[in-house]
Amino acid sequence: MKLERQGSARNDAAACFHSDLLPLGRYPLKLDDGPHKRTMNVSDMPGERENFFDVEDFDSEVLHSVTADCAPGDYYQLHTVMRRWSTETKLTERKKAAFRILSDICFLYFEPGSRTRPYKPVIQLEDSRSFSLDDLTPVDLTVLESVAAQVTRPDLRGRIWDVLWLKRRDLGVSTAISAIEAYSAVNIPTGQHQRTQLVVNCWDRALSLARMIRGAGDITIEPLEAVISDAFNRALTEGGTLALELTYVSVRYGLDADRRDERSEALQAIAATYRENGQHYAQREFLEAAARWKVAKQRRGAYWNIVIQIAESHESDANLELASSKPSYIRIATILEQAIQQYRRVPRQFRPASMEMQLAQLQQRLLTAGALAVEEMSIIRSDPLDMSEMVDGAKARVSGRSIFAALIGLSTLFPIPNHEELLSAERELMVEGLGIYSQVTFHEDGRLTAKVPAPSLAEDADFLSARAISNFAHRIEMVVRGAIVPGLETFTREHCISERQLLQIVVHSAAIPPGREAFFVKGLAAGFDWDFMSSSHLLVPQLEAFLRYHIQGRGGDTTVLSPEGIHTEASLGTLLGMELTTDILGPDMVFVLEAFLVNPHGPNFRNVQAHGLISESAAGGVHAVFAWWLCLHLVVLPFWASGKSRKGPESQE
């Protein structure tokens, strides 16, 4: 019997690597590795290999020996050991070539559920990248076809047949069938394991292929689904992360549809155990998995009860942090914000009678914690720096850190300017006679788009604001070129962040409205791929949704009533002008958003983009980069802290 399966959009941890182990792309790619630098030249490309290969040139026993210690499904580890053997002097050139090809196909970003592009380069810079399937030559594919049947490791054999299915469709559906059989031969682990995702990825890909070629040959999906179901039963008794990984796959492919309630209740029972042990993060992970099974059925009372449990878990987490010897009020405020957002998700017909009072109490606790959080923050200032120093500083803030620490460094490359200080600086220039001229702004096509007459007083608010916005617009270009771009280059050189990882960050961010997660994930992912035209078109409209959600959540009205009695949604400029918006974001962030997005004296990026006035080059230029970074900043940082807490808890109602 032959089997088939499909995969999920996850990747193994190929973010940490040594430059000597990198497979080569079509472009020269320079990587810094400590004090040494390695430049990969076109002459090293996979295509520059022997143009003849005989199956006898391949030694399967050597391959089995050198990969014996690699964990199942760990393709980066396989890449590493085979890359080293591709330079082994004891081997013939043809055997080295075989190791090189196998090493290359293991060094790829893996999205097992994708039908069209399951494999992408791990590193993608603006003008260079690491190995791609497009780099495989006909000779390389012939080598893979020759050695596939001799490879004994099922995960590696599955990868070979999978690549042949994608690149050699002339071989027929048998390549996909062979890939399915190999992937489904990877044993699903039992007990507590650190990297269950790697194995589940193999089964995920098998399911994906099985559905893709359904009906094309002697293929049945049921045996695959039965194995997954049995593995899920074992995982539920063990209480480890395997149950979470199998939930992701099972729900997406509609497995165990008749056991959804049973699965959800079992996961809730595991979550209760973690709650009793004070492990609230793990509790929420299992509750969210339980909710997935309920969503797959319907969002009824049982589903919303799980959401309430998730909110209560956030509350318990905040209480634990508060009771610690050195509580972090930034963390407490973040957790309380997440608890409030979970409670607000619950439709009124499913809310218990006490929830409104509970929300009011949480809001007051949040205001208090937010005020104390501001005191924990510090402003870092420095003397004026030239661009080279700024570039070096940006790289240092990101380089050599873990992926999440680097992400925080990347999202804090640019300190949000103090609005009052900007106005004071312009006021001083006016007093000194250096800022007494009228302010005009031209569009790139020469049209006059904004004008402010020369001021009559040093306190001319309109003129001061226009000057501050104009100067801030100039600063954006300097910051993008001197900090954000170098920081992003450093991040993408050292790390490869997947959409799944971004989803975890976005889902747990207090900033993101429910139902908007996919927009932010796709938009941020596009930026990490240097596709800022796509990222800005995805993200900028969501900033309005972001503002509306938080304004409405605090009782504000985001609509405008026309003389005819028609309610229409307020524009972004109107939303930014609301007093409640300043309470939420603080005057500094409101200034940045207004100056960048909607003010004609600044880039006016939102309006230029929304009305189709933006040029092709500008759509992916410095302002698009800044828009992407600004959204990353809002997602990663507690955006609300400075705004909510500015007045102090005793003065906020």
Side-chain angles (χ1 to χ4, degrees), residues 97-118:
F99 273 106
R100 173 72 66 92
I101 299 168
L102 293 174
S103 168
D104 285 350
I105 66 171
C106 287
F107 190 75
L108 289 163
Y109 174 70
F110 189 23
E111 291 189 17
S114 173
R115 287 176 174 247
T116 56
R117 292 195 66 196

Side-chain angles (χ1 to χ4, degrees), residues 427-618:
R427 191 176 294 113
E428 290 177 8
L429 290 175
M430 289 176 61
V431 171
E432 296 170 3
L434 300 176
I436 59 174
Y437 302 104
S438 62
Q439 180 80 37
V440 295
T441 304
F442 291 91
H443 189 263
E444 63 184 20
D445 63 5
R447 291 179 290 110
L448 179 65
T449 58
K451 181 177 182 180
V452 176
S456 57
L457 299 171
E459 293 296 331
D460 191 320
D462 290 339
F463 187 85
L464 287 174
S465 179
R467 292 270 308 190
I469 290 171
S470 178
N471 289 332
F472 173 71
H474 295 308
R475 185 191 297 191
I476 287 175
E477 181 165 355
M478 180 181 69
V479 167
V480 168
R481 297 186 185 279
I484 296 175
V485 167
L488 181 58
E489 286 178 342
T490 302
F491 183 95
T492 53
R493 185 178 66 227
E494 297 183 2
H495 300 289
C496 180
I497 189 166
S498 67
E499 287 190 9
R500 179 112 188 262
Q501 290 171 305
L502 286 172
L503 178 61
Q504 291 301 313
I505 296 168
V506 168
V507 165
H508 291 95
S509 172
I512 307 305
R516 299 287 170 173
E517 294 90 347
F519 293 97
F520 279 91
V521 168
K522 292 291 185 182
L524 292 176
F528 281 109
D529 282 339
W530 297 86
D531 182 7
F532 295 107
M533 180 184 291
S534 297
S535 70
S536 62
H537 279 80
L538 280 168
L539 292 171
V540 171
Q542 299 311 311
L543 291 174
E544 295 189 42
F546 154 83
L547 282 177
R548 289 193 181 95
Y549 172 75
H550 291 287
I551 292 171
Q552 292 169 358
R554 287 156 181 79
D557 185 7
T558 61
T559 63
V560 177
L561 183 63
S562 71
E564 294 79 20
I566 299 173
H567 287 271
T568 57
E569 286 291 344
S571 66
L572 180 57
T574 301
L575 296 175
L576 289 170
M578 292 181 177
E579 183 176 352
L580 192 55
T581 302
T582 302
D583 290 339
I584 296 169
L585 297 179
D588 301 334
M589 181 57 76
V590 170
F591 167 79
V592 169
L593 292 174
E594 181 184 5
F596 175 63
L597 294 172
V598 297
N599 195 289
H601 295 288
N604 201 16
F605 188 71
R606 180 267 180 193
N607 291 332
V608 172
Q609 182 194 71
H611 297 299
L613 300 173
I614 196 166
S615 66
E616 181 177 347
S617 59

Side-chain angles (χ1 to χ4, degrees), residues 620-650:
V622 292
H623 293 149
V625 176
F626 187 76
W628 172 84
W629 178 88
L630 190 59
C631 290
L632 178 70
H633 179 86
L634 288 170
V635 167
V636 173
L637 295 184
F639 70 96
W640 37 261
S642 60
K644 293 178 188 169
S645 317
R646 188 166 299 278
K647 297 179 182 178
E650 62 277 356

Side-chain angles (χ1 to χ4, degrees), residues 292-309:
R292 282 182 178 271
W293 286 97
K294 289 294 186 183
V295 169
K297 190 174 182 180
Q298 270 186 333
R299 292 192 180 187
R300 292 182 176 173
Y303 171 81
W304 297 114
N305 286 337
I306 297 174
V307 174
I308 292 173
Q309 291 181 59

